[in-house]
Amino acid sequence: MLEEIRYEYYESVDSTNDRIKERAHDNEAQGLVISAGTQTAGKGRIGRKWESPTKDSVSTSLLLRPDDISLEAIPTITVVAAMAVRDALSNLYGLEGKIKWPNDIVLGGKKICGILTEMEMKDNKVWYVVVGIGVNVHNTQFPEEIAFKATSVDIELQKQSGEKGHRSEITKAIWESFQKYYNIFIKTQDMSGLKEEYERYLANLNERVRIEAQENSYEAIARGIDDRGQLIIEVDGQQQIISTGEVSVRGIYGYI
């Protein structure tokens, strides 16, 4: 169980995930959160770089030391983190995001956050897990290659209230929501207690999507998730399971 959260903030770091790893190697206890005003070497999924403009976004990472967790359950923590980001933005600002499987939060059809979970083994057991989250908050412009699919809290709030987001309160709300969901997840080490809520916000549920794998791409219908957080798809009337990290899922006519 995740019983307490301790916060540290730095103006600039190379990577909040890497800072957490360093502390994990120094035997830091579970529950440490490190956040930064900017990252000089932020990381995204599949080896991508995560842009962290100075004081425009939330860059935050949490240390977990899950006892006796199975390797198969680790990827599901990323899915749990997605629920936490969606819940936090809803509670704070009424921004009702959707989850593009497995862990992208989308508002107005565009991505607002990135999540990267990393782990290390020791003595054939999971030694620690790092959950890293980046949320676009004050960003108003994005690099050309992602501008078509990126948004921020401020951009979305401008559409409804004109207020602006606050990075510190977003960070705190995310980890409070994560604590709530993680403690449900860790009891069973699966999504059985969270699947219904996750699917309620799943973008493209029962709609056609494009599955983009390394060897080929094909169309399918998204039917929900299983207890491990894997996506259930239907192809030619037959259901299949795809795992996080294997593929990318896109809408037929755009990002979602």
Side-chain angles (χ1 to χ4, degrees):
M1 301 289 283
L2 179 57
E3 295 181 350
E4 68 164 348
I5 299 173
R6 307 177 307 282
Y7 295 92
E8 293 184 8
Y9 178 82
Y10 300 89
E11 288 297 327
S12 177
V13 300
D14 49 358
S15 159
T16 56
N17 268 30
D18 286 350
R19 286 292 183 96
I20 288 286
K21 292 176 191 176
E22 292 171 5
R23 299 287 285 276
H25 280 260
D26 291 336
N27 294 316
E28 182 74 42
Q30 171 173 272
L32 174 66
V33 167
I34 290 180
S35 305
T38 187
Q39 294 183 111
T40 58
K43 296 178 289 185
R45 288 181 66 235
I46 324 177
R48 298 189 181 106
K49 182 179 180 181
W50 177 262
E51 299 284 345
S52 301
T54 303
K55 295 187 178 180
D56 271 350
S57 59
V58 163
S59 300
T60 185
S61 299
L62 167 73
L63 173 62
L64 295 173
R65 294 195 185 271
D67 294 330
D68 299 320
I69 194 170
S70 68
L71 271 176
E72 292 76 17
I74 295 298
T76 314
I77 296 176
T78 305
V79 178
V80 174
M83 295 183 68
V85 176
R86 201 221 73 85
D87 187 62
L89 295 180
S90 173
N91 291 339
L92 283 175
Y93 307 120
L95 293 174
E96 298 297 340
K98 292 285 189 179
I99 304 173
K100 189 177 83 67
W101 183 89
N103 59 3
D104 285 353
I105 306 304
V106 292
L107 288 162
K110 294 185 176 183
K111 178 177 178 178
I112 200 166
C113 84
I115 299 171
L116 177 66
T117 299
E118 301 180 281
M119 57 154 281
E120 187 169 339
M121 304 283 291
K122 187 177 183 180
D123 299 327
N124 294 316
K125 296 177 62 176
V126 176
W127 187 20
Y128 66 83
V129 176
V130 182
V131 183
I133 296 175
V135 182
N136 299 326
V137 180
H138 302 310
N139 317 60
T140 56
Q141 294 182 321
F142 299 94
E144 185 178 351
E145 63 271 18
I146 65 169
F148 75 97
K149 64 177 181 179
T151 189
S152 71
V153 171
D154 285 3
I155 288 172
E156 297 305 316
L157 286 177
Q158 190 63 38
K159 298 175 183 178
Q160 58 183 49
S161 65
E163 64 177 309
K164 292 183 179 295
H166 298 276
R167 292 184 305 123
S168 59
E169 72 177 7
I170 291 171
T171 300
K172 190 169 185 289
I174 285 172
W175 293 124
E176 287 177 350
S177 290
F178 180 84
Q179 183 177 25
K180 171 183 67 176
Y181 290 126
Y182 179 78
N183 285 340
I184 295 171
F185 156 79
I186 203 64
K187 291 178 183 177
T188 56
Q189 297 187 23
D190 64 25
M191 290 292 290
S192 56
L194 298 171
K195 183 168 65 172
E196 182 179 351
E197 180 174 346
Y198 182 93
E199 290 183 338
R200 191 182 312 149
Y201 301 109
L202 180 60
N204 296 323
L205 182 63
N206 295 323
E207 295 179 3
R208 296 195 69 81
V209 294
R210 180 171 296 280
I211 309 299
E212 297 180 350
Q214 286 186 341
E215 61 279 4
N216 68 331
S217 64
Y218 55 94
E219 291 186 11
I221 300 174
R223 292 303 192 195
I225 61 169
D226 66 6
D227 283 350
R228 288 178 56 190
Q230 301 173 120
L231 186 66
I232 303 169
I233 60 171
E234 184 179 313
V235 182
D236 298 327
Q238 301 295 316
Q239 287 197 348
Q240 301 177 15
I241 301 293
I242 56 176
S243 301
T244 59
E246 285 185 352
V247 299
S248 294
V249 178
R250 296 285 185 267
I252 296 299
Y253 301 110
Y255 177 62
I256 61 167

